[in-house]
Amino acid sequence: MPQLSPATPQLSVPVHDHITDAMKAPAFLRLSANVVLARFETMKVYAALGAVRALLERGRVVPGQTLVDSSSGIYALALAMACHRYGLRCHIVASTTVDATMRAQLEVLGATVDQMPPSRSLRLDQERRVRHVRQLLAERPDFHWMRQYHDGVHHTGYRELAELAAAALPGEDLTVVGTVGTGASTGGLTRALRADGRTVRLVGIQPFGSVTFGSEGFSDPEAIIAGIGSSIPFGNVRHELYDTMHWLDFRHAMAGSVALLRQHAVFAGLSTGAAHLVAGWEAARDPRRTHLVLGADTGHRYAERVFARHAEASDPSTLRPERIDELAELRPPWAVLEWAGRPAPPAAVVTPESEAVR
């Protein structure tokens, strides 16, 4: 057997103590000269691990306690894994969109799952879930509500991602491109990068029908990407962090996802597809900056409803957003507005009245 030469460098390969350490590490993939994808199996592992670790360190939760939260999918799995790692119990109030595969994983990990019945609207589904969480807390005051939508502790885990991104892309002016959702990933990453002195633009993406950035007056009948928008105000969204906002319908996100697989062999979810489409448009207009696309999860949840329909997908090179100057001009299917740090729209402000569905 050949012997290694003394001059041959020795590889340093980590052996992880828990699967969450392996899952949270992104693969950085250059898609073009100024677009880089940070591809995750489940990006919300950063949010869940960072939050749980911080809560334990601060004494807000103790080993053996039950953590409870509402989720439409990948946060539920991330939280169940964090609880598995740190010796905590997990109770998930699941959206109707959580499929049998996800539910089985949660249950095998030891989580208790209460799933909401089919609902006619995203808002009704979210409100039912939050009401159910409140009922659980009334019955079990020893439960700790994670409040992924509102507790800023979920931003903390993304500092580690910022360090990885800085090491992968040293000295480059960055534009972070990602779907907004709860606001923790795009907001937490960008805040950490800016705190270290990086020049960072933040481009956010929303579906039509979300209150978070003012598109609640529209509906998208095909939309199945509930996790990237909201029908209720989210306290974790820091609107002032965002430089540019894009709104996309399902068909445009689908085009981005199919193109990412076809062009780069990357099988990723709809939120990643939306970010891929937006980043390509932004990068063509600002070639001096590196555009970092957040690829939140894989495409498995969308195999039948997106990838099996790949023949229907539009060619991204034919798609263009409509530039608007004010929210009053917003229209489907794709619009872009220079947000420039504007405050939250009225419907997205967390008020005492909205506390009832928080």
Side-chain angles (χ1 to χ4, degrees):
M1 181 175 180
Q3 299 295 312
L4 289 175
S5 163
T8 302
Q10 300 297 304
L11 296 177
S12 176
V13 181
V15 177
H16 301 295
D17 292 325
H18 194 269
I19 187 62
T20 48
D21 285 330
M23 287 181 66
K24 70 182 180 181
F28 290 101
L29 176 67
R30 188 168 293 280
L31 304 183
S32 68
N34 65 335
V35 178
V36 173
L37 172 68
R39 188 263 189 191
F40 299 85
E41 183 174 346
T42 303
M43 185 173 65
K44 285 197 175 182
V45 168
Y46 273 108
L49 277 183
V52 170
R53 187 181 297 120
L55 292 170
L56 286 167
E57 290 173 351
R58 299 170 190 175
R60 289 175 58 187
V61 301
V62 296
Q65 192 170 355
T66 298
L67 308 186
V68 61
D69 213 347
S70 159
S71 174
S72 61
I74 58 175
Y75 178 79
L77 183 58
L79 182 60
M81 288 185 166
C83 288
H84 182 277
R85 177 171 185 167
Y86 289 111
L88 295 151
R89 299 181 185 278
C90 183
H91 192 117
I92 298 296
V93 178
S95 168
T96 185
T97 60
V98 171
D99 61 21
T101 301
M102 177 71 74
R103 178 162 184 158
Q105 290 181 76
L106 294 171
E107 291 175 344
V108 172
L109 282 166
T112 303
V113 182
D114 295 340
Q115 189 159 14
M116 296 296 98
S119 174
R120 66 178 183 274
S121 71
L122 172 60
R123 181 177 183 87
L124 182 58
D125 179 64
Q126 286 184 318
E127 290 179 351
R128 279 177 174 172
R129 283 187 273 143
V130 176
R131 282 200 302 269
H132 190 72
V133 171
R134 290 188 178 279
Q135 291 170 3
L136 288 170
L137 293 170
E139 297 166 3
R140 294 292 305 272
D142 56 311
F143 280 18
H144 178 83
W145 187 4
M146 291 297 294
R147 300 172 74 247
Q148 64 151 325
Y149 306 140
H150 304 289
D151 192 335
V153 72
H154 288 88
H155 284 235
T156 60
Y158 289 101
R159 168 154 286 282
E160 183 179 349
L161 175 57
E163 293 171 357
L164 293 176
L169 302 166
E172 300 183 41
D173 289 341
L174 291 180
T175 295
V176 173
V177 183
T179 55
V180 177
T182 66
S185 58
T186 49
L189 172 61
T190 301
R191 290 173 70 200
L193 287 168
R194 288 175 178 171
D196 289 338
R198 296 292 292 264
T199 301
V200 180
R201 294 187 69 251
L202 178 55
V203 175
I205 302 163
Q206 283 274 278
F208 287 96
S210 171
V211 305
T212 310
F213 281 88
S215 66
E216 68 274 10
F218 302 91
S219 64
D220 184 357
E222 290 192 283
I224 55 173
I225 41 178
I228 77 168
S230 175
S231 63
I232 59 177
F234 282 176
N236 267 340
V237 177
R238 313 290 172 81
H239 292 76
E240 71 278 4
L241 295 175
Y242 295 85
D243 297 289
T244 306
M245 282 303 306
H246 287 252
W247 294 263
L248 298 179
D249 69 0
F250 166 80
R251 290 280 175 164
H252 283 70
M254 176 181 176
S257 296
V258 172
L260 187 59
L261 180 57
R262 181 174 286 132
Q263 296 167 7
H264 302 286
V266 175
F267 185 49
L270 273 175
S271 64
T272 306
H276 171 51
L277 180 65
V278 166
W281 187 84
E282 289 280 344
R285 281 142 193 82
D286 196 354
R288 296 171 298 175
R289 303 181 72 85
T290 296
H291 294 71
L292 179 62
V293 177
L294 300 185
D297 63 350
T298 66
H300 294 89
R301 291 198 296 163
Y302 306 100
E304 292 186 8
R305 298 180 67 180
V306 174
F307 293 99
R309 298 167 55 188
H310 61 87
E312 302 174 34
S314 300
D315 178 354
S317 68
T318 67
L319 304 177
R320 299 285 186 277
E322 179 183 352
R323 291 180 179 270
I324 61 174
D325 296 315
E326 300 293 340
L327 277 174
E329 302 170 6
L330 183 64
R331 296 289 185 275
W334 182 7
V336 57
L337 170 67
E338 293 308 310
W339 190 260
R342 303 178 192 212
V349 175
V350 177
T351 64
E353 290 75 21
S354 67
E355 286 285 336
V357 292
R358 273 178 72 169

